């Protein structure tokens, strides 16, 4: 058994060594045709690492040749398939900007969007890439409204917007958590305006009532009464929109406290 295992391992090592030697020989070749043909073969075989190395060498050598477009297009895909998504986004964008009339320009534009979408981080991290992806998708749909990729880019746009929605809500909610009540009031209202149909609006509007109440309590005496009335107004809007809300009991307590604060203020 040990001898058989050793023989198999030796065959594998010899195969790997031969494969490396063959690739090194191609790399050292001065024939552009040989390198290009080998790069395409590696690509079609799914060896995107070796294909990418060869295409990278070929790009400056192919300028002015008919294979230049294919070389750069393949190279962008090599980055994508190796999950180098920032690089693939860059090279796909570079491709459709360099070759706007290419038969691959539309697909390249789509893959630029796709690469940014797949590199978008989870919703608790910085969402700059998410915003870049959404802008890229808007640009794509404006240019290719009837594209075969249109439905797919609209789908991924919805996923990105949902992620941004949650990030925006969590950021506004954080002001309430750290007791920055004035900032919470403003942020939660801005959130409501930006995402009027959001699934988080019920919680966001309750938190805004609570933030407004605490903001009123901490205000200077001349502003307290006015801000308690503003809290009551927010409560009434909340009850009209969410009459069966899970937060209704807590909101009613705040409402009753506001009435008491105003009554005390009037009697003083």
């Amino acid at each position: 058994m040990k001898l058989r295992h050793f023989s198999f391992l030796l065959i594998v090592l010899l195969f790997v060594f031969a494969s490396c030697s063959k690739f090194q020989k191609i790399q050292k070749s001065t024939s552009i045709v040989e390198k290009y043909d080998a790069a395409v073969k590696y690509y079609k075989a799914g060896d995107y690492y070796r294909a990418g190395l060869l295409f990278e060498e070929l790009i400056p050598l192919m300028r002015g040749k008919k294979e230049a477009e294919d070389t750069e297009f393949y190279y962008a895909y090599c980055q994508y398939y190796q999950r180098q998504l920032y690089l693939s986004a860059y090279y796909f964008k570079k491709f459709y900007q360099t070759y706007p009339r290419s038969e691959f320009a539309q697909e390249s534009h789509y893959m630029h969007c796709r690469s940014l979408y797949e590199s978008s981080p989870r919703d608790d991290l910085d969402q700059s890439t998410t915003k870049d992806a959404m802008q890229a998708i808007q640009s794509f749909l404006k240019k290719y409204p009837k594209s075969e990729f249109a439905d797919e880019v609209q789908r991924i746009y919805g996923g990105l917007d949902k992620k941004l929605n949650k990030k925006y809500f969590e950021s506004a909610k954080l002001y309430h958590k750290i007791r920055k009540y004035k900032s919470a009031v403003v942020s939660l209202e801005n959130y409501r305006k930006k995402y009027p149909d959001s699934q988080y609006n019920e919680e966001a509007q309750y938190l805004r009532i609570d933030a407004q109440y605490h903001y009123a309590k901490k205000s200077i005496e001349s502003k307290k009464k006015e801000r308690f009335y503003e809290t009551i107004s927010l409560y009434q809007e909340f009850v009209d929109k969410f009459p069966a809300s899970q937060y209704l009991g807590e909101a009613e307590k705040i409402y009753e406290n506001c009435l008491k604060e105003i009554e005390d203020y009037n009697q003083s």
Side-chain angles (χ1 to χ4, degrees):
M1 283 294 289
K2 287 185 179 179
L3 183 60
R4 182 182 294 178
H5 179 73
F6 177 77
S7 298
F8 175 75
L9 184 61
L10 184 61
I11 291 170
V12 171
L13 289 172
L14 287 171
F15 176 78
V16 171
F17 179 76
S19 178
C20 290
S21 298
K22 181 183 176 182
F23 178 72
Q24 289 170 352
K25 184 180 177 182
I26 294 168
Q27 276 191 306
K28 292 176 182 178
S29 173
T30 57
S31 170
I32 293 176
V33 174
E34 182 184 4
K35 276 190 177 181
Y36 178 79
D37 288 345
V40 172
K41 285 180 182 178
Y42 279 125
Y43 180 87
K44 290 182 177 178
D47 190 342
Y48 303 114
Y49 175 71
R50 286 191 175 95
L53 291 176
L54 293 175
F55 283 130
E56 186 176 21
E57 290 181 31
L58 286 165
I59 286 172
L61 303 175
M62 286 294 191
R63 287 181 186 138
K65 294 181 170 60
K66 64 178 182 179
E67 295 88 353
E69 285 186 30
D70 289 353
T71 300
E72 294 189 44
F73 190 59
Y74 279 131
Y75 183 64
Y77 261 115
C78 284
Q79 304 309 312
Y80 176 78
Y81 287 130
Q82 292 181 87
R83 311 310 294 160
Q84 300 295 320
L85 295 171
Y86 288 106
L87 287 176
S88 67
Y90 171 80
Y91 284 112
F92 279 122
K93 183 177 183 179
K94 184 173 181 287
F95 181 89
Y96 70 73
Q97 289 180 334
T98 305
Y99 305 104
R101 294 184 178 85
S102 169
E103 63 177 307
F104 304 122
Q106 183 181 151
E107 182 179 348
S108 190
H109 201 151
Y110 163 71
M111 287 305 299
H112 170 65
C113 298
R114 183 93 214 173
S115 297
L116 289 174
Y117 165 70
E118 292 185 21
S119 62
S120 173
R122 62 179 194 263
D123 55 51
D124 60 327
L125 299 176
D126 178 72
Q127 295 300 308
S128 298
T129 303
T130 302
K131 293 174 184 177
D132 290 343
M134 292 174 76
Q135 289 175 355
I137 289 170
Q138 289 171 340
S139 173
F140 178 87
L141 289 172
K142 184 177 180 180
K143 190 167 186 177
Y144 304 108
K146 296 181 180 180
S147 167
E148 62 181 299
F149 304 113
D151 288 344
E152 176 61 10
V153 295
Q154 286 173 342
R155 184 190 71 79
I156 64 177
Y157 185 91
L160 293 167
D161 189 51
K162 187 176 180 181
K163 184 185 290 187
L164 214 57
N165 177 345
K166 187 175 182 184
K167 174 68 173 179
Y168 203 135
F169 172 62
E170 292 297 336
S171 296
K173 189 177 176 180
L174 181 62
Y175 284 116
H176 181 275
K177 186 177 181 180
I178 62 176
R179 301 180 181 180
K180 298 286 186 181
Y181 294 118
K182 182 178 180 180
S183 297
V185 169
V186 173
S187 296
L188 289 162
E189 171 60 8
N190 288 340
Y191 173 79
R192 183 187 67 82
K193 288 178 179 177
K194 187 172 180 65
Y195 295 101
D197 301 317
S198 170
Q199 61 181 313
Y200 304 115
N201 266 338
E202 181 182 340
E203 183 180 359
Q205 291 196 44
Y206 162 69
L207 290 174
R208 188 173 171 228
I209 294 168
D210 189 67
Q212 178 67 35
Y213 171 66
H214 284 94
Y215 175 48
K217 285 192 72 175
K218 291 177 177 292
S219 298
I220 59 174
E221 287 300 318
S222 61
K223 291 287 185 180
K224 279 188 175 182
K225 185 177 179 181
E226 174 190 341
R227 287 170 182 166
F228 282 127
Y229 273 121
E230 287 174 4
T231 308
I232 290 172
S233 179
L234 291 177
Y235 164 78
Q236 290 168 337
E237 288 177 19
F238 179 78
V239 172
D240 288 343
K241 190 165 185 178
F242 305 104
S245 173
Q246 62 179 311
Y247 305 107
L248 192 59
E250 293 301 315
E252 285 176 348
K253 288 178 185 177
I254 295 171
Y255 169 70
E256 290 167 2
N257 287 339
C258 286
L259 291 178
K260 187 175 184 304
E261 293 279 1
I262 291 169
E263 184 181 351
D264 292 344
Y265 186 86
N266 288 337
Q267 290 176 356
S268 60

